[in-house]
Amino acid sequence: MGCRILRIVVALVICFVAGTFAKPANPALNKVLVVLNSLDQQTYFSRFLDSLEKRGFNLTIKAISDNSVSLVTWEELAFNNLLLLADATSGASFTPAKVIDFVNRGGNVLVAASSQVSETIRDIAIELSADFDEKGNSVFDSFNSPVKGKSDIISAKKFTGEHIIIPPTLQGQISRGELPLLFRGVGHRLTGKNPLIIPVLVGNPTSFSYLDSTKGKAAPLTPGSLVGSSLVLISAFQARNNARVVFSGSVDLFKNELAEAIIGDKKTANAQFASELAKWAFQEKGVLKVINTFHHRLLENQQHGSYRIKEELLYEIELSAYYDDVWHPYASSSPIQFTATMLDPYIRQNMTLSSKVTDTTSTYTLPFLTPDVYGVFTFQVEHKRREGYSWIDEKEVVSIHPFRHDEYPRFLSAAFPYYANVFSIMAGFVVLSGVVLYHKDSTTVAKVKTN
Amino acid sequence: MAKNKTEQATKAAGASATATTSKDLNAKTKAIANKSFVSNQISLVTQLVNTYTTTTPQLLRLIDAYLAAVMVSGIIQFVYVVVVGTFPYNSFLSGFAASVGAFVLAANLRMQLNPKNDFYSLTPEGAFAEFVFCSLVFYGFVVNFLG
């Protein structure tokens, strides 16, 4: 009986521990600030917010007009993630400067707008070179509007690029129309000034952005209007400090209304899509971690801070990728490169995935010959690809020294004549010294003495 | 002074006269001169050898033998490095430098022991001590660099 109780207690403790260490890659970073137009809008998003809470996030819900909230307190992040669902109104606590500062300090942001997009959201977006269409514009698509009479609710189908933000299976279901993804809101364009922002979901070939009040019926479009794939619906940005920002043109995409809608006899993909988007934005997937780096001489197994020139080394880096709630071994789709630089890169080579794989980590290795130049080198693995994984930038300073005095090869057969010469000359020196000391030549001595 | 004057005179007077007849004369005098040049050279060398063997002190001659041997060893090493290649370059430098240095030091010793040279108040014993000290330091470097 006691044993049983103990078991239950242990099980509960494990559950509790597992619960608290639940979902984000770093479980300590689970504080989310949800910002709404007004607190009573909370019910519109209940499905989405509940799913976040279930995944272990600690939500704080505030209205955007609440001036008592601050993202940063005492120079530290008060929240790790910001969910900005206040599409239409602005507040003094959430000015663009404050949000950008939050991102610079490593905070993640998910911003949702609508055709009532506020200037605040437009200003935040333009900082990261996403240019939302002006207030009053809406995305229309007369050929892909599943709800009759509402051409501003479109079913978005077109994904761009190779990325892990939305899983390929879900992408396939959405683009084939098996699970319609309903989108109602404003479009944006990427100005192209920021290479770190990538489009996730773009307009169908028949989509366009036009004045909301016309219900999409007044033609023609002005030149420079957003149409087709240049009309970005959702884009994702990963800063150099690995903070992530997602811009969604539609706040309704996260609402219960569209998540629960039934199109014909099909459920919508909205709930699943929204949660995948939030998973990426809040570091629940595509998070890479360097477990360990290790470099050693090829025949040794110990790391040193200094190596000789022209020495065979092996560099290893142990990587782990977080998705589906656990750490996995990471196998990159693109090559991971190792670089040894001293002002210029002396070595830049692709590493190979070694057979040393554990449950959670994989190891990339590269055997290489240290350069024939001595000095202070930086061994670096810089892996920055626009596929949604966090950046890796691992640096270590290693000095490379020339041959030590006793490291040169000795007693070479080719050098024997030189050795023989040196020692014979030294013997000759001894003989000459003896001759000079003990030579008896009366005339010479007399002459020297008279001098 | 007198010699200078006569040279000037012959130049001024015979500048044009000698030009015409000089070809024949030159050929004849050259043949004679060649003959006498060779015999002159031979007699010079024999005289040099005679003087060297008779007047040079035996000690200096022994040092000269050492110098010659050291020079030959240097030449042999140079030929060797040209034929075999520079691979243990430090060894070659060291061996070659040993020959050159030994030659220089012994030559200095010879100059100081030569009674015809006046090296101020330096005694032969002092010169020898200098030679030994410098040689020891020098061979230290040579062996260190030999590899």
CSV table of all heavy atoms in Angstrom, one decimal, chain B residues 119-141:
chain,number,residue,atom,x,y,z
B,119,PHE,N,100.9,44.2,-33.8
B,119,PHE,CA,99.6,44.3,-33.2
B,119,PHE,C,99.7,45.0,-31.8
B,119,PHE,O,99.3,44.4,-30.8
B,119,PHE,CB,98.8,42.9,-33.1
B,119,PHE,CG,98.1,42.6,-34.3
B,119,PHE,CD1,98.7,41.9,-35.3
B,119,PHE,CD2,96.8,43.1,-34.5
B,119,PHE,CE1,98.0,41.6,-36.5
B,119,PHE,CE2,96.1,42.8,-35.7
B,119,PHE,CZ,96.7,42.0,-36.7
B,120,TYR,N,100.3,46.1,-31.8
B,120,TYR,CA,100.5,46.9,-30.6
B,120,TYR,C,101.0,46.0,-29.5
B,120,TYR,O,102.0,45.3,-29.7
B,120,TYR,CB,99.1,47.5,-30.2
B,120,TYR,CG,98.6,48.3,-31.4
B,120,TYR,CD1,97.6,47.8,-32.2
B,120,TYR,CD2,99.2,49.5,-31.8
B,120,TYR,CE1,97.1,48.5,-33.3
B,120,TYR,CE2,98.8,50.2,-32.9
B,120,TYR,CZ,97.7,49.7,-33.7
B,120,TYR,OH,97.3,50.4,-34.7
B,121,SER,N,100.4,46.0,-28.4
B,121,SER,CA,101.0,45.3,-27.3
B,121,SER,C,100.5,43.9,-27.1
B,121,SER,O,100.7,43.3,-26.1
B,121,SER,CB,100.8,46.1,-26.0
B,121,SER,OG,99.4,46.3,-25.8
B,122,LEU,N,99.7,43.4,-28.1
B,122,LEU,CA,99.1,42.1,-27.9
B,122,LEU,C,100.2,41.0,-28.0
B,122,LEU,O,100.9,40.9,-29.0
B,122,LEU,CB,98.0,41.8,-29.0
B,122,LEU,CG,97.2,40.6,-28.8
B,122,LEU,CD1,96.3,40.8,-27.6
B,122,LEU,CD2,96.3,40.3,-30.0
B,123,THR,N,100.2,40.2,-27.0
B,123,THR,CA,101.2,39.1,-27.0
B,123,THR,C,100.7,37.9,-27.8
B,123,THR,O,99.4,37.8,-27.9
B,123,THR,CB,101.5,38.6,-25.5
B,123,THR,OG1,100.2,38.2,-25.0
B,123,THR,CG2,102.0,39.8,-24.7
B,124,PRO,N,101.5,37.0,-28.2
B,124,PRO,CA,101.1,35.8,-28.9
B,124,PRO,C,100.2,35.0,-28.0
B,124,PRO,O,99.2,34.4,-28.5
B,124,PRO,CB,102.4,35.0,-29.2
B,124,PRO,CG,103.5,36.0,-29.0
B,124,PRO,CD,103.0,37.1,-28.2
B,125,GLU,N,100.4,34.9,-26.7
B,125,GLU,CA,99.6,34.2,-25.8
B,125,GLU,C,98.2,34.8,-25.8
B,125,GLU,O,97.2,34.1,-25.8
B,125,GLU,CB,100.2,34.2,-24.4
B,125,GLU,CG,101.4,33.3,-24.2
B,125,GLU,CD,102.7,34.0,-24.7
B,125,GLU,OE1,102.6,35.2,-25.1
B,125,GLU,OE2,103.7,33.4,-24.8
B,126,GLY,N,98.2,36.1,-25.8
B,126,GLY,CA,96.8,36.8,-25.8
B,126,GLY,C,96.1,36.5,-27.1
B,126,GLY,O,94.9,36.2,-27.0
B,127,ALA,N,96.8,36.5,-28.2
B,127,ALA,CA,96.2,36.2,-29.5
B,127,ALA,C,95.6,34.8,-29.5
B,127,ALA,O,94.5,34.6,-29.9
B,127,ALA,CB,97.2,36.4,-30.6
B,128,PHE,N,96.4,33.9,-28.9
B,128,PHE,CA,95.9,32.5,-28.9
B,128,PHE,C,94.7,32.4,-28.0
B,128,PHE,O,93.7,31.7,-28.3
B,128,PHE,CB,97.0,31.6,-28.3
B,128,PHE,CG,96.6,30.1,-28.2
B,128,PHE,CD1,96.3,29.4,-29.4
B,128,PHE,CD2,96.4,29.6,-27.0
B,128,PHE,CE1,95.9,28.1,-29.3
B,128,PHE,CE2,96.0,28.3,-26.9
B,128,PHE,CZ,95.7,27.5,-28.0
B,129,ALA,N,94.7,33.0,-26.8
B,129,ALA,CA,93.5,33.0,-25.9
B,129,ALA,C,92.3,33.5,-26.6
B,129,ALA,O,91.2,33.0,-26.5
B,129,ALA,CB,93.8,33.8,-24.6
B,130,GLU,N,92.5,34.6,-27.3
B,130,GLU,CA,91.4,35.2,-28.1
B,130,GLU,C,90.8,34.2,-29.1
B,130,GLU,O,89.6,34.0,-29.2
B,130,GLU,CB,91.9,36.4,-28.8
B,130,GLU,CG,90.9,37.6,-28.9
B,130,GLU,CD,91.6,38.8,-29.5
B,130,GLU,OE1,92.2,38.7,-30.6
B,130,GLU,OE2,91.6,39.8,-28.8
B,131,PHE,N,91.7,33.6,-29.8
B,131,PHE,CA,91.3,32.6,-30.8
B,131,PHE,C,90.5,31.4,-30.2
B,131,PHE,O,89.4,31.0,-30.7
B,131,PHE,CB,92.6,32.0,-31.4
B,131,PHE,CG,92.4,30.8,-32.3
B,131,PHE,CD1,91.7,30.9,-33.5
B,131,PHE,CD2,92.8,29.5,-31.9
B,131,PHE,CE1,91.5,29.8,-34.3
B,131,PHE,CE2,92.6,28.4,-32.7
B,131,PHE,CZ,91.9,28.5,-33.9
B,132,VAL,N,91.0,30.9,-29.0
B,132,VAL,CA,90.3,29.8,-28.4
B,132,VAL,C,88.9,30.2,-27.9
B,132,VAL,O,87.9,29.5,-28.1
B,132,VAL,CB,91.2,29.3,-27.2
B,132,VAL,CG1,90.3,28.3,-26.3
B,132,VAL,CG2,92.4,28.6,-27.7
B,133,PHE,N,88.9,31.4,-27.3
B,133,PHE,CA,87.6,31.9,-26.7
B,133,PHE,C,86.5,32.0,-27.9
B,133,PHE,O,85.4,31.5,-27.8
B,133,PHE,CB,87.8,33.2,-26.0
B,133,PHE,CG,86.5,33.8,-25.5
B,133,PHE,CD1,85.8,33.2,-24.4
B,133,PHE,CD2,85.9,34.9,-26.1
B,133,PHE,CE1,84.6,33.7,-24.0
B,133,PHE,CE2,84.7,35.4,-25.7
B,133,PHE,CZ,84.0,34.8,-24.6
B,134,CYS,N,87.0,32.7,-28.9
B,134,CYS,CA,86.0,33.0,-30.0
B,134,CYS,C,85.6,31.7,-30.7
B,134,CYS,O,84.5,31.5,-31.0
B,134,CYS,CB,86.7,33.9,-31.1
B,134,CYS,SG,86.9,35.5,-30.5
B,135,SER,N,86.6,30.7,-30.8
B,135,SER,CA,86.3,29.4,-31.4
B,135,SER,C,85.2,28.7,-30.6
B,135,SER,O,84.3,28.1,-31.2
B,135,SER,CB,87.5,28.6,-31.6
B,135,SER,OG,88.4,29.2,-32.5
B,136,LEU,N,85.4,28.7,-29.3
B,136,LEU,CA,84.5,27.9,-28.4
B,136,LEU,C,83.0,28.5,-28.6
B,136,LEU,O,82.1,27.7,-28.7
B,136,LEU,CB,84.9,28.0,-27.0
B,136,LEU,CG,86.2,27.2,-26.7
B,136,LEU,CD1,86.5,27.3,-25.2
B,136,LEU,CD2,85.9,25.7,-27.0
B,137,VAL,N,82.9,29.8,-28.5
B,137,VAL,CA,81.6,30.4,-28.7
B,137,VAL,C,81.0,30.1,-30.0
B,137,VAL,O,79.9,29.7,-30.2
B,137,VAL,CB,81.7,32.0,-28.5
B,137,VAL,CG1,80.4,32.6,-28.9
B,137,VAL,CG2,82.1,32.3,-27.1
B,138,PHE,N,81.9,30.2,-31.0
B,138,PHE,CA,81.4,29.9,-32.4
B,138,PHE,C,81.0,28.5,-32.6
B,138,PHE,O,79.9,28.2,-33.2
B,138,PHE,CB,82.6,30.2,-33.4
B,138,PHE,CG,82.3,29.9,-34.8
B,138,PHE,CD1,81.3,30.6,-35.5
B,138,PHE,CD2,83.0,28.9,-35.4
B,138,PHE,CE1,81.1,30.2,-36.8
B,138,PHE,CE2,82.7,28.6,-36.7
B,138,PHE,CZ,81.8,29.2,-37.4
B,139,TYR,N,81.7,27.5,-32.1
B,139,TYR,CA,81.3,26.1,-32.3
B,139,TYR,C,80.1,25.8,-31.5
B,139,TYR,O,79.3,25.0,-31.9
B,139,TYR,CB,82.5,25.2,-31.9
B,139,TYR,CG,83.6,25.2,-32.9
B,139,TYR,CD1,84.9,25.5,-32.5
B,139,TYR,CD2,83.3,25.2,-34.3
B,139,TYR,CE1,85.9,25.6,-33.4
B,139,TYR,CE2,84.4,25.3,-35.2
B,139,TYR,CZ,85.7,25.5,-34.8
B,139,TYR,OH,86.7,25.6,-35.7
B,140,GLY,N,79.9,26.5,-30.4
B,140,GLY,CA,78.6,26.4,-29.7
B,140,GLY,C,77.4,26.7,-30.6
B,140,GLY,O,76.5,26.0,-30.7
B,141,PHE,N,77.5,27.8,-31.2
B,141,PHE,CA,76.4,28.2,-32.2
B,141,PHE,C,76.3,27.2,-33.3
B,141,PHE,O,75.2,26.9,-33.7
B,141,PHE,CB,76.7,29.6,-32.7
B,141,PHE,CG,76.3,30.7,-31.8
B,141,PHE,CD1,77.3,31.4,-31.1
B,141,PHE,CD2,75.0,31.1,-31.7
B,141,PHE,CE1,76.9,32.4,-30.2
B,141,PHE,CE2,74.6,32.1,-30.8
B,141,PHE,CZ,75.6,32.8,-30.1
